Amino acid sequence: MPVTVAIAQINSTVGDLAGNSARIADAARRASAAGADLLITPELSLVGYPPEDLLLRRSFYAKSQQALRELAVALAGLKGLRVIVGHPLSDGSDAQYNAASVLCDGEVIHTYRKHALPNYTVFDEKRYFMPADDVCVFDVKGTRFALNICEDTWYAEMPRKARESGAQVLLVPNASPYHMHKQHLRVDTMRENVSSRGMAMVYANLVGAQDELVFDGSSFVLDASGTVCAQLKPFDEDFALVQFNDGQPLPQPLPEPQSLEAQVYSALVLGVRDYVGKNGFPGALIGLSGGVDSALTLAIAVDALGADKVRAVMMASPYTAEISWIDSRDMVARLGVRYDEIPIADCFDAFTRSLSPLFAGLPADTTEENLQARIRGTLLMALSNKTGAIVLTTGNKSEMATGYCTLYGDMAGGYAVIKDIVKTLVYRLCDYRNSLSEVIPERILTRAPSAELRPNQVDQDSLPPYDVLDGILKLYMEEGQGVAELLAAGYRRDDVDRITRLIKLNEYKRRQAPVGPRVTHRAFGRDWRYPITSRFKE
C-alpha cells in the first residue's frame, strides 16, 4: 500500500520552544491536508541546534518535555498522522539524550535516542549527551520505517541494525551544518552506509543560521540503489511530499545544482539574515571604504535584510583616494541604501596632538595607521549604540589569519560577515553577485587592494600575493598540513615561514573577533582551538 512521507525543512531557533512548536504544527497541518501518513522534521527541531550549554540546565529539559507533550496534544486532531520531532530527553537521572519521538493521535508512541555522538570540528555532543543503542522500527500501512539521527548514519552500525530489524526506509532527522562541498559528501556517505544495505532513506536537514553555523537544508531522498529521488531547496525553508511504494520512493524532478559561489553567497546571506533577525537588531551598519571587502559585505547585507535596513558610512582619512569616494557613492546609489560621510581628519589630528608629547622623537609607524581604524570603529559603534543597528565587520579570512586587521578598529562590530572567506574567493563572490545584477562598480574589482592608511599603500607591500597567501592558508590552516608539505607543494620557504608565524602570533586577535558564518570545513572559531600562549614552532 502506498505511503506518503512529508518532509518539513524548517528554520528552528535555539530555545524558542513556542515558535518552533508552531512551525512544526503548521507543517503537520499542511501534511495532513495533503494526505500524508508521516511527517519528518530535523534533528532537535523542537529546541533548535545546537543548544550548547542550555543542555546543562535541568529546566531546559523540563520545558522541552512539556513542550513536546503540548505539541502532541495540539496535533491530536490530525488523525493517524505520525509526526517525527527532535528533542533533548532526560531520563530523570544524570543521563540525557539527543532524541527523536513519533507523535500520533495526541501521544508519544515511539522514541529513538541517538547512538553516535559527534565530538569533532564544531560538534561537542559528548559534553551533553549519552549514547544509546536503541533500534526503533515501526509500521505504516505495511511499510517498515526506522529512525536514526544524523551522525548515526555516518557510520555503518546503526543503519545495519535498522536493516536487520526489518526496516525498508530509514528516516533521518539531521542538523548538518554547511561547508563547501558538504552535500556531495552527505550523499556519498549515505549511499555507502544506508543504500548499500538495501534501504531507502529520507534525510531531513535543518535550515537556518545559529551564531557561526549555517544549515543549508538540502534535504533529500535516496532509493535503495542510492539514486537521489527528491531534493529540497538549499538555504530556505521547504516542504515536500514523497510517495513510497513497497518501501521505494517515486522520483521527482530535482532542482538545478548551484555553483560553489552561489552556495557560499547564499550561506552568507542566510547567516546575516538570521543573526540580525533572530537577535532582534533593527538593521545593520557597514563602514564603506571603496574597497572590495566592504563592497561584498554591503551587497550581502542588502540581499539579506533589504536596503531599508542597511546603512553605509564612509569615513575618509587624508589618505583616502578620490576614487574610493566616487566608487562608494556609486555603489550605494545602485543599492539604494542610506549613506553618510564622516571625515576623520579632525579626529585623527586631535588624537595625534594629544599623543605628541608621549611620542616625541619616535617615528610614525603602524600606531598612526591603527589610530585611523580605531577612530572609524568608535564612530560606527557610537552609531550602533544610538540606533540599535548592528555593525557588520568587513575583514576576510586572509586578513584574520595574518593579523592584517586592527583590534578595536575594523574588527569592532557584532558580526563578521566574510571572516571565513579568503581574499581570492571574495573576488569570485563579487563576480557572482554582479552576474545577477551589477551592484559592485568594476573599478572596485580591478584596483589593487589597499587599507589606505598611509600614502600609496597597497596590501602587497606587507603581504605575499593573495593567491600565494590563500594557498598556504588552505593547506596549513584548513587541511592541517605542515611546513614540509607546504614546501613540497612549491611554496617558497620565506613565504611559508612568514605566514605560519603570523597565524600563530595573531591568535589573540581572533579570540576577540566577532562571530561570523562558517562556510569552510575549518574556520577560525569553534573548530580552531589553538592556544594564545605557545612556544611550539613547526
Side-chain angles (χ1 to χ4, degrees), residues 211-292:
D211 298 343
E212 294 170 85
L213 302 183
V214 178
F215 299 90
D216 58 311
S218 303
S219 304
F220 60 92
V221 176
L222 296 180
D223 66 16
S225 68
T227 300
V228 178
C229 293
Q231 183 171 318
L232 279 65
K233 292 185 292 188
F235 305 105
D236 202 359
E237 288 193 303
D238 203 3
F239 179 91
L241 297 167
V242 181
Q243 184 173 311
F244 285 78
N245 290 336
D246 297 323
Q248 290 303 307
L250 299 184
Q252 299 181 0
L254 301 178
E256 287 292 321
Q258 286 185 310
S259 68
L260 180 65
E261 291 78 11
Q263 290 178 27
V264 172
Y265 193 87
S266 297
L268 299 178
V269 167
L270 180 56
V272 171
R273 181 183 297 133
D274 273 7
Y275 194 85
V276 173
K278 290 181 178 182
N279 287 294
F281 293 103
L285 292 161
I286 296 166
L288 200 59
S289 69
V292 66

Side-chain angles (χ1 to χ4, degrees), residues 468 471-472 475-476 481-492 496:
V468 173
I472 292 172
L475 294 178
Y476 181 78
Q481 294 188 17
V483 169
E485 289 101 330
L486 291 168
L487 296 175
Y491 292 104
R492 294 174 58 246
V496 169

